[in-house]
Amino acid sequence: MSFNTISVVGLGYIGLPTAAMFASRKKKVIGVDVSQHAINTINKGEIHIVEPDLDMLVHAAVKEGFLKATFTPEPADAFLIAVPTPFKNNDSKIPEPDLTYIQKASEAIAPVLKKGDLVVLESTSPVGATEQMAEWLATARPDLTFPQKAGEHADINIAHCPERVLPGHVVRELVENDRVIGGMTPKCSNQAVELYKTFVKGECVITNTRTAEMAKLTENSCRDVQIAFANELSVICDKLDINVWELIALANRHPRINILQPGPGVGGHCIAVDPWFIVSKTPNEANLIHTARKVNDAKPSWVIEKVKLAISDYLQDNPDKTAKDVTIACYGLAFKPDIDDLRESPALNITKCISEFHQGAVLAVEPNIANLTGTLENVELADLKVAQENSNIHVVLVDHKEFKASQIHSEYLIDTKGIW
Ligand code: SAJ
């Protein structure tokens, strides 16, 4: 089977780099998206997301005619679905995954499917989602056969191949990382391996769909649990008057210990989300994973309490001042260092909360963002030096490289990343 035309449905943080990568290997790529803005931007050879080196890749792909973006799916030999899997908007204590985008994408490609096509689900999904997608496709196309009934003889081949690239390093990791390939049958897996080998230099390791789904959730849950351990240590150490950074550095000298770093909480659209896909499926069994989520989600409130305490200490030490006279500087808004991504960012949420309860000025220093319009009201974007010199209370929320290169000595410093 050779894949001449490849369709990527969902042109976001994962879909667009993947589409551009196939196009860079001279495959005809049809990108599909529901956002007219994304389609127009890409067709101009530009990008609507921030990711190093992606702009050059997309520009070349569009200019050379290998990549185009469209609203309506067209026939192709392989379809990759890379759409979001958010939470359902209900009051459930355990957030549940919402597969509506996958369902809509399946129903959109179903009319153009033909015998021999491969459909790959790339979106991070709860266990069973690929089988569910196969059912949606089968319902929409009763004239074709699918692996859940026809096995190896199916007209359409289906696999799950989760993305696992690190934002900020997507272009390199797409090529170098190993891929987990979970076909509904061995034939489906082999076809998916052939497809990814177009640009993947890492190993393509075959398994079944459920294991592939769980592998992705396991990777991110493992990191979440490890970060929760570090965050819990930081809270314990604060109580016991121990420097958690020194403690972790000491413990990490043991040959079999590698503790991660505490912070203001866990952000981004992956680590703070994916563990819930396991917890919502197996609530009685996933105790540790559930607890880790709660520990990490509780960290921003703990930081905010520390800020309130610092304000009251400052006012006690300076009885001529009122809360209105106190300027607080928050260093970093992004969800992790050296990027501009604010998705699910604990730093952003903490700054917002401080600006809501604090009567004085709140400054934010974020070297990766040019303006805060529409993001934060009542917070002034400030230069690092200006904030350091003019604030009474300093809250370090992200270890951006610009901050690490600087220093400050203040009695009223809350350093959630241990850099000052
Ligand atoms: N964090 C800490 N302490 C640490 C490491 C991270 O507090 O020691 C925080 C970060 O500040 C951030 C959050 O965790 O708020 C997540 O950052 P991250 O760098 O751990 O991960 P992401 O969300 O950028 O990307 C993850 C990656 N998964 C793993 O490393 C297991 C990536 O490979 C996945 O492809 C991505 O999720 C995804 O799309 O699922």
Side-chain angles (χ1 to χ4, degrees):
M1 169 94 208
S2 64
F3 300 99
N4 296 317
T5 306
I6 297 160
S7 181
V8 178
V9 185
L11 297 171
Y13 281 86
I14 299 301
L16 182 57
T18 306
M21 206 54 87
F22 279 116
S24 74
R25 300 300 188 270
K26 311 229 174 298
K27 296 284 180 190
K28 184 181 168 202
V29 181
I30 302 163
V32 181
D33 205 282
V34 293
S35 155
Q36 197 58 52
H37 168 68
I39 293 169
N40 294 346
T41 311
I42 294 163
N43 284 336
K44 278 192 277 178
E46 293 165 13
I47 58 176
H48 60 296
I49 53 175
V50 179
E51 181 59 44
D53 302 331
L54 182 63
D55 50 348
M56 292 181 322
L57 215 57
V58 170
H59 183 74
V62 173
K63 200 169 130 227
E64 290 167 19
F66 289 106
L67 171 65
K68 72 163 184 182
T70 149
F71 192 77
T72 317
E74 296 175 16
D77 305 315
F79 293 83
L80 273 84
I81 296 183
V83 295
T85 37
F87 295 137
K88 275 187 192 152
N89 212 354
N90 58 20
D91 293 335
S92 164
K93 270 201 171 150
I94 298 176
E96 288 171 56
D98 176 1
L99 300 187
T100 314
Y101 291 96
I102 299 180
Q103 181 172 11
K104 290 221 162 78
S106 313
E107 288 165 358
I109 63 165
V112 296
L113 284 182
K114 61 183 187 315
K115 197 172 177 213
D117 285 355
L118 169 69
V119 181
V120 179
L121 179 63
E122 275 220 11
S123 312
T124 304
S125 302
V127 171
T130 312
E131 291 157 28
Q132 173 66 73
M133 180 185 79
E135 280 305 320
W136 283 322
L137 290 172
T139 306
R141 287 299 299 272
D143 55 318
L144 291 169
T145 59
F146 290 81
Q148 60 269 40
K149 289 247 167 75
E152 293 287 59
H153 305 291
D155 293 333
I156 304 295
N157 296 294
I158 295 181
H160 179 56
C161 180
E163 60 80 14
R164 55 215 311 222
V165 285
L166 194 67
H169 302 264
V170 170
V171 172
R172 180 176 53 79
E173 289 208 351
L174 267 180
V175 175
E176 290 178 4
N177 288 5
D178 291 345
R179 296 296 296 236
V180 175
I181 309 264
M184 285 185 74
T185 67
K187 185 174 159 212
C188 299
S189 296
N190 290 335
Q191 283 213 354
V193 172
E194 192 184 323
L195 175 69
Y196 282 101
K197 275 293 165 193
T198 308
F199 66 79
V200 172
K201 290 206 180 113
E203 206 178 319
C204 292
V205 187
I206 290 177
T207 181
N208 56 37
T209 51
R210 286 181 162 247
T211 312
E213 287 160 345
M214 191 63 181
K216 167 68 195 220
L217 304 181
T218 300
E219 289 160 14
N220 281 352
S221 300
C222 175
R223 197 153 167 85
D224 198 42
V225 170
Q226 290 180 355
I227 298 169
F229 182 74
N231 276 332
E232 186 163 292
L233 273 182
S234 73
V235 174
I236 294 170
C237 284
D238 183 70
K239 208 153 210 166
L240 300 180
D241 201 17
I242 291 170
N243 179 329
V244 69
W245 315 99
E246 184 194 0
L247 174 83
I248 290 175
L250 289 173
N252 281 350
R253 283 172 177 262
H254 185 287
R256 285 172 296 282
I257 299 298
N258 189 9
I259 302 169
L260 293 182
Q261 300 301 307
V266 168
H269 206 70
C270 312
I271 307 244
V273 175
D274 300 355
W276 288 119
F277 292 4
I278 298 180
V279 178
S280 67
K281 252 277 141 16
T282 50
N284 296 326
E285 292 76 16
N287 298 318
L288 182 61
I289 297 171
H290 193 172
T291 303
R293 268 295 63 245
K294 290 198 269 188
V295 168
N296 286 333
D297 274 355
K299 195 72 194 286
S301 308
W302 184 85
V303 176
I304 288 161
E305 285 312 308
K306 288 271 149 207
V307 175
K308 288 183 177 164
L309 214 61
I311 299 173
S312 109
D313 284 350
Y314 182 85
L315 291 176
Q316 221 162 29
D317 298 343
N318 298 275
D320 55 318
K321 301 257 171 38
T322 69
K324 273 196 180 140
D325 306 316
V326 179
T327 299
I328 302 179
C330 295
Y331 300 89
L333 295 174
F335 89 84
K336 63 181 201 172
D338 307 324
I339 56 166
D340 68 340
D341 196 335
L342 299 177
R343 289 181 299 169
E344 321 290 332
S345 170
L348 178 72
N349 293 337
I350 290 168
T351 307
K352 185 164 181 284
C353 178
I354 294 172
S355 75
E356 283 163 2
F357 75 75
H358 181 54
Q359 295 162 12
V362 178
L363 309 179
V365 186
E366 180 41 84
N368 302 294
I369 286 177
N371 79 71
L372 291 178
T373 319
T375 313
L376 280 176
E377 307 303 326
N378 308 323
V379 175
E380 195 187 317
L381 200 57
D383 179 70
L384 175 60
K385 271 231 135 21
V386 173
Q388 283 179 331
E389 281 164 14
N390 296 294
S391 307
N392 310 106
I393 294 174
H394 306 268
V395 191
V396 179
L397 296 169
V398 188
D399 45 343
H400 287 313
K401 60 180 188 302
E402 293 84 352
F403 304 163
K404 286 201 262 187
S406 176
Q407 266 301 335
I408 185 175
H409 295 286
S410 165
E411 261 181 73
Y412 311 99
L413 168 66
I414 295 136
D415 185 354
T416 69
K417 294 306 300 180
I419 54 173
W420 288 349

